[in-house]
Amino acid sequence: MNFLVNTEKFLSGIRRVMSAVSTKSLNAMLNNILLEAEGDALHLTAYDMEVRIQTSVPATVNEAGTIAVPAKKFGEVIGALPMGDVLLETRAEAPEEIRLKCMKANYKLHGQRGESFPVADPFVEDWSFVMGGKELVDCLCKTVYSRSEDETRQALNGVLISIRGSMRTIAASDGRRLALVEASLEQEAKEGEGESAGLPTQEGEVILPFKVVAELIRSVDQTKVVKIRLTRSMAVFENGQTVITSKLVDKKYPNYRSVIPVSFRNTVEIPRMLFADVLKRVRTMVGEGEENASVTLSIQENLMRISASSPEYGNAEDSVDVSLTGEPIDISFNPRYLFDPLKNLVCDTFQIHYNDCVTPVEMTGDPGFIYILMPMRPVLPSEEEGTIEPQI
């Protein structure tokens, strides 16, 4: 095996696959990155038994071959090399010895035979669809915070992607709130160009594990499209020179549509950035880890007062100008749940739709975005102090 590759591109490829290097597996081979040199490219692969990431960088391959390299140490070595080209070679008489040369730097490293690296599971596509990289990342960012952090609730711990009736829905819920983004695939196909203009090959829905969702948000090249290829148990995301393969969550997602109210009697329009700043200030009065922490929105015709109080710290109040259509209300929310969607929206103003202070409210703003949130229920005289946050 003998190839020449630019150190900067080499390091970029290593970093692209590094998050799929196993740190817990009993199989020591999974602590490695597989290097495969062939044609005019170097392919790098990492796998942790859940997610496999493969990417390619251009290389001058003098002799094709494979070698598995220790991921962490090898990444440190390549990261320390000067800018330029690095020559990597192995020899038949010592196939597990890696020789590196870059400028005046020389290394001899221990690797393992590439043939021992776990091969990918067979994949026969059942159906597929295409999304723009930026659109996929935006949709995931606008929903993933609503997933359940309880790993025993496997379905709710992931993110749903559903294709039904020419509509694509990406959704997440933890039982107390629901975030989703919908888009018309037919409209996208009319407006799309080239590879991103095709409709899905069939309908269906899958649940992506949180780990692959986090990886997609982190690593997708948003200037390129993502082709999503699916089976009942696997998903493959092809994005430029990088391919991410993941197992799917083998569970049925709850009927999230049932928690979305049919109609609302009242709507308040709120400046997003100003409200986010005010909420950030006021929420400092309540502990982030307190299950029953709440902030209260007192909504009037042209003004919303945001307040919070704590027996330990004191109280705070601030206000923003709003536009109300409907009846005034005092309504309380978990401050983190109220703040989470604001960080990922881009609209200048958003809307809160409500009926009363105890049934689900709806937040909207960016096209296709819906956020359903339960208010904090007021304490009844017969109940203990604190508030109760009902399940959706």
Side-chain angles (χ1 to χ4, degrees), residues 123-333:
F123 185 88
V124 179
E125 177 185 312
D126 290 333
W127 60 295
S128 64
F129 63 97
V130 175
M131 290 185 68
K134 185 179 187 306
E135 183 183 15
L136 175 60
V137 172
D138 284 349
C139 289
L140 293 176
C141 287
K142 288 175 181 177
T143 54
V144 67
Y145 54 80
S146 284
R147 74 180 184 93
S148 172
E149 296 181 1
D150 183 354
E151 294 184 0
T152 64
R153 305 174 72 186
Q154 295 181 13
L156 295 182
N157 186 241
V159 173
L160 175 75
I161 297 183
S162 174
I163 306 291
R164 300 290 183 193
S166 78
M167 292 293 293
R168 182 189 62 240
T169 304
I170 297 180
S173 174
D174 63 4
R176 292 183 173 91
R177 54 181 174 164
L178 163 70
L180 65 85
V181 182
E182 289 190 314
S184 168
L185 297 172
E186 291 181 348
Q187 185 63 30
E188 283 188 353
K190 291 178 182 178
E191 297 174 354
E193 296 180 1
E195 186 179 358
S196 62
L199 289 170
T201 55
Q202 69 176 57
E203 294 187 349
E205 63 180 42
V206 297
I207 304 174
L208 303 182
F210 172 66
K211 181 167 185 174
V212 76
V213 172
E215 179 59 33
L216 291 169
I217 291 172
R218 186 190 72 84
S219 66
V220 160
D221 184 343
Q222 298 187 36
T223 67
K224 296 181 171 63
V225 300
V226 181
K227 183 172 183 180
I228 304 172
R229 304 169 58 211
L230 298 160
T231 70
R232 291 174 60 96
S233 60
M234 300 287 292
V236 174
F237 301 85
E238 299 176 354
N239 175 232
Q241 297 300 313
T242 301
V243 178
I244 300 173
T245 304
S246 172
K247 295 180 179 178
L248 296 173
V249 178
D250 186 20
K251 298 290 181 180
K252 183 174 177 59
Y253 207 79
N255 179 16
Y256 60 93
R257 296 280 179 190
S258 64
V259 306
I260 303 176
V262 175
S263 62
F264 295 93
R265 297 189 299 273
N266 311 284
T267 297
V268 59
E269 188 160 351
I270 309 164
R272 181 178 65 88
M273 293 298 293
L274 179 58
F275 177 77
D277 287 342
V278 169
L279 180 59
K280 189 184 299 184
R281 289 194 291 270
V282 171
R283 68 190 284 206
T284 59
M285 281 296 101
V286 294
E288 288 296 317
E290 296 179 14
E291 182 179 352
N292 296 321
S294 69
V295 295
T296 298
L297 310 184
S298 298
I299 304 171
Q300 303 297 321
E301 183 177 355
N302 298 310
L303 187 71
M304 175 191 292
R305 290 187 173 87
I306 301 98
S307 61
S309 63
S310 164
E312 182 178 0
Y313 301 114
N315 60 73
E317 180 181 299
D318 207 333
S319 62
V320 295
D321 294 332
V322 299
S323 177
L324 172 63
T325 302
E327 298 296 321
I329 195 173
D330 289 349
I331 189 168
S332 299
F333 297 98

Side-chain angles (χ1 to χ4, degrees), residues 264 331 333 352-354 356 359-363 371-373 375:
F264 295 93
I331 189 168
F333 297 98
I352 295 180
H353 311 278
Y354 62 89
D356 52 49
T359 56
V361 305
E362 177 184 81
M363 290 175 58
Y371 185 59
I372 304 297
L373 177 62

